Amino acid sequence: MPGEVVLVEARARNTGENVRFSRELLAEHGVDVSSVLLVSKPYKERRAYATARRLWPEVEVVSASAPLALDAYVESIGDARLVLDMLVGAVQRLIVYPARGFMIEQEIPGTVVAAYERLRDAGFTGRLVPG
């Protein structure tokens, strides 16, 4: 794809800002959007989807990531504890962010909530949001 047809959003500090700023950038360039493809890390797919649906409800949203096994992801990061902290933080956001208006609510399987609670209670809290 030629570089001159690529628009780059480089200001965002979080997923919500990335959606908002990308939406603004496309509008500034007169790009009519009916669907978006979000590409993220596997553990962030649901959050990216839920955030985009909240902030841009009129478009069709598809969320995707490259297939990556957990052990391969841990190896790429080099820190198993950090990866577990990130996963626990990602699930916590799915639980608490809808009430804060940051994303749509999604059903979270009870087994996932139970695993999240066990890991959180075991001290994997490095990526939790306050409150």
Side-chain angles (χ1 to χ4, degrees):
M1 181 171 293
E4 64 270 7
V5 300
V6 176
L7 299 174
V8 177
E9 187 292 293
R11 299 180 300 152
R13 296 171 293 147
N14 58 54
T15 305
E17 284 184 354
N18 189 239
V19 171
R20 275 196 311 274
F21 296 160
S22 294
R23 185 178 181 178
E24 291 170 7
L25 182 63
L26 290 163
E28 288 168 8
H29 285 84
V31 178
D32 185 35
V33 178
S34 62
S35 65
V36 295
L37 171 63
L38 309 172
V39 179
S40 65
K41 294 175 180 147
Y43 74 93
K44 285 189 174 182
E45 272 190 60
R46 285 184 66 159
R47 188 173 84 173
Y49 172 83
T51 301
R53 292 292 299 129
R54 173 75 172 116
L55 298 176
W56 208 350
E58 64 274 14
V59 300
E60 178 185 357
V61 177
V62 176
S63 188
S65 63
L68 184 62
L70 178 60
D71 58 345
Y73 188 64
V74 170
E75 185 177 326
S76 75
I77 298 295
D79 184 343
R81 179 168 191 91
L82 175 60
V83 171
L84 287 171
D85 276 341
M86 290 188 298
L87 293 172
V88 169
V91 174
Q92 182 215 28
R93 284 162 178 78
L94 293 174
I95 294 168
V96 303
Y97 276 7
R100 296 181 183 185
F102 297 155
M103 66 176 57
I104 63 166
E105 191 163 335
Q106 298 180 82
E107 184 176 333
I108 303 169
T111 54
V112 172
V113 174
Y116 154 75
E117 290 171 347
R118 283 193 309 273
L119 289 166
R120 181 199 61 206
D121 294 347
F124 293 95
T125 59
R127 293 291 175 105
L128 295 182
V129 294

